[in-house]
Amino acid sequence: MTEPAYARVKAQLLRRIRNGRWRAGDRIPSEHELMREFGVARMTVGRALRELTGEGWLLRTQGVGTFVGGEPRAESHPVEIRNVAEEIVARGHAHRAETIRLEETELDDDAAAAMEREAGSKVFFSEVVHWEGDQPLQFERRWVAPDFAPAYLDQDFTRTTPSAHLLQIAAIEAGEQIVRAEAADRRVAKYLQIKTGEPLLVLVRRTWARGNVVSHARLFHPAQRFQLVGRFGSPLPSGRGSG
């Protein structure tokens, strides 16, 4: 099968970024210049640039031009339950974690509703910061049912992750994940090394096992360094639209 023209242009542009010919902050040639260079239509160049922009490789400013970005945004699937450490390693980066809190606590009204338990019930609670390379990527706040994971407070979450530990106990029967946009409060901003009020993407996650909610988590990510990506089906041939 012949590779679509936009994909060939995209691959060539990405190669120039990866081999250092174009560096972060460099302005790249205009669409018209790229059209002449590759001998393709404006629609073809436009699609290649849109995809590279969406993946975080390029930054486009209306009326100014297109510039090379930094590293592409970290990404996660909006539906699948994944281990953040595995996602980071899969991108070729180092994962490390810092445990901020690991203790027994009582459920407040909001957490109790999420855990489907009475307010004031005892649960295990953790706060962990996950780093990708030299940048904090995720601030994880999690409530866990003690009867499901009795050894939770004994875990070293600099060596494993809360998700990995829970998956070792029993298979997850069901999961729910809600995506929200929020502004960072002072505490979350501190650990993600951003300013208070900066935008966040928050995954609110619940998981069920043995017929009960066993974990409720709020996963905070800096919006400028993180995106949610869900893919399905096969790529459309060049020139066809999408819905």
Side-chain angles (χ1 to χ4, degrees), residues 178-201:
I178 300 170
V179 183
R180 296 176 179 167
E182 296 184 7
D185 63 23
R186 179 181 294 183
R187 180 174 175 78
V188 173
K190 170 186 174 183
Y191 289 110
L192 290 179
Q193 297 184 359
I194 60 177
K195 295 179 180 178
T196 300
E198 282 198 25
L200 300 170
L201 279 180

Side-chain angles (χ1 to χ4, degrees), residues 11-235:
Q12 288 288 335
L13 300 182
L14 185 55
R15 188 173 297 116
R16 295 176 188 181
I17 297 172
R18 284 177 164 163
N19 67 19
R21 178 176 170 183
W22 291 345
R23 300 181 181 278
D26 287 351
R27 181 175 178 173
I28 73 168
S30 68
E31 287 191 6
H32 288 293
E33 290 172 319
L34 294 174
M35 287 164 55
R36 289 196 296 269
E37 177 181 351
F38 292 106
V40 296
R42 184 172 185 174
M43 181 186 303
T44 300
V45 171
R47 179 166 179 179
L49 294 178
R50 284 196 303 274
E51 291 200 1
L52 289 170
T53 301
E55 293 168 10
W57 293 104
L58 297 176
L59 301 172
R60 306 185 76 181
T61 303
Q62 185 70 30
V64 178
T66 303
F67 300 83
V68 179
E71 285 286 319
R73 285 187 178 97
E75 64 180 45
S76 182
H77 195 284
V79 177
E80 294 179 13
I81 304 299
R82 292 184 173 178
N83 182 343
V84 63
E86 293 177 353
E87 289 184 340
I88 290 171
V89 171
R91 289 192 288 268
H93 297 157
H95 167 265
R96 69 179 177 89
E98 177 186 1
T99 301
I100 308 301
R101 293 175 64 186
L102 184 58
E103 62 192 23
E104 185 179 71
T105 190
E106 294 183 356
L107 290 170
D108 62 19
D109 290 341
D110 289 341
M115 292 291 292
E116 298 181 356
R117 297 186 176 216
E118 293 291 330
S121 298
K122 297 287 188 179
V123 294
F124 295 150
F125 178 72
S126 60
E127 288 184 335
V128 179
V129 181
H130 298 277
W131 292 66
E132 180 164 0
D134 60 358
Q135 289 187 320
L137 176 69
Q138 181 188 99
F139 179 79
E140 173 184 353
R141 185 173 285 154
R142 186 182 295 268
W143 296 259
V144 174
D147 49 347
F148 176 76
Y152 190 79
L153 299 184
D154 298 326
Q155 302 308 302
D156 180 355
F157 290 129
T158 65
R159 295 180 175 273
T160 187
T161 65
S163 292
H165 174 64
L166 297 176
L167 287 170
Q168 288 176 348
I169 298 172
I172 298 301
E173 297 169 354
E176 173 188 81
Q177 198 153 258
I178 300 170
V179 183
R180 296 176 179 167
E182 296 184 7
D185 63 23
R186 179 181 294 183
R187 180 174 175 78
V188 173
K190 170 186 174 183
Y191 289 110
L192 290 179
Q193 297 184 359
I194 60 177
K195 295 179 180 178
T196 300
E198 282 198 25
L200 300 170
L201 279 180
V202 184
L203 305 187
V204 182
R205 176 185 295 170
R206 291 197 296 169
T207 51
W208 282 259
R210 301 171 185 168
N212 297 300
V213 178
V214 296
S215 175
H216 166 52
R218 292 174 56 82
L219 311 174
F220 302 84
H221 309 84
Q224 73 272 25
R225 298 201 296 266
F226 186 79
Q227 64 185 359
L228 292 165
V229 178
R231 300 181 177 90
F232 57 91
S234 300

